[in-house]
Amino acid sequence: LNLEARQSEGLRMFFGALNREKDWGPLMDELNAVFRAAPEFWSVSVVHDRQFFEALDLPNSQKSFLPMCSHADYIKEMSSCDFAFLPLADTRFNHFKSDLKALEAAANGLAVLASPVVYEAFVRSGQTGELFYTSSELVAHLNAWREDPTVVREMGLKGRQWLASERMS
């Protein structure tokens, strides 16, 4: 974790998924509105999902794409970010998914910004990240984080501590 180097910068979001357009698609307009309001503050690292990468309304200098890769490279990319974006629509299929991505994020010091599907049991609001039930809640969390980005980094550290004490013991 290189928190010191990132203190003066904006926030970097991690998104790693494949074929999840039905999950992120309905949120993209609002997400891009937040990014357009401060494109120099936000950056995004995308692993696997080229459509998500292409849909991001950010300058190319503020986003990166890594295609299918090894788990080690996936984790390396994730660990360069401040928070993980984990949207899952409320579908039968998604309810069978695990919270592994949230656990990986916490293990690598990232806060989690997630939908309640699957992640509700993991996310401790204001402690390990934030849940959003609507796109307006997603926007509110991102705007609050823009006002005080240190909160995100603190949640990432608390998430790592929570994981060690609650899930690794």
Side-chain angles (χ1 to χ4, degrees), residues 12-16 44-45 47 74 77-78 81 83-85 110:
R12 185 160 182 81
M13 180 178 93
F14 177 82
F15 182 80
V44 179
S45 173
V47 177
Y74 177 89
E77 192 63 25
M78 176 186 275
C81 298
F83 70 99
F85 179 51
L110 278 69

Side-chain angles (χ1 to χ4, degrees), residues 3 12 16 19-20 27 32 42 45 47 51 55 57 63 66 72 87 93 110 114-115 131 133-135 137-138 155 166:
L3 293 177
R12 185 160 182 81
N19 300 324
R20 310 296 327 153
L27 303 167
N32 276 330
W42 300 104
S45 173
V47 177
Q51 281 186 286
D57 192 2
K63 60 184 183 174
L66 188 63
F93 176 80
L110 278 69
S115 59
L131 292 171
Y133 293 82
T134 65
S135 57
E137 287 180 1
L138 168 67
M155 284 190 286
E166 300 297 322

Side-chain angles (χ1 to χ4, degrees), residues 62-125:
Q62 295 297 100
K63 60 184 183 174
S64 64
F65 177 75
L66 188 63
M68 286 289 205
C69 59
S70 69
H71 189 258
D73 287 342
Y74 177 89
I75 293 299
K76 181 181 178 186
E77 192 63 25
M78 176 186 275
S79 66
S80 73
C81 298
D82 298 297
F83 70 99
F85 179 51
L86 307 174
L88 288 177
D90 191 2
T91 66
R92 180 172 157 74
F93 176 80
N94 282 344
H95 280 276
F96 287 103
K97 293 182 72 64
S98 78
D99 61 357
L100 179 61
K101 281 192 179 162
L103 299 177
E104 289 175 330
N108 288 284
L110 278 69
V112 172
L113 182 58
S115 59
V117 174
V118 174
Y119 302 112
E120 192 166 35
F122 174 83
V123 176
R124 306 289 182 266
S125 184

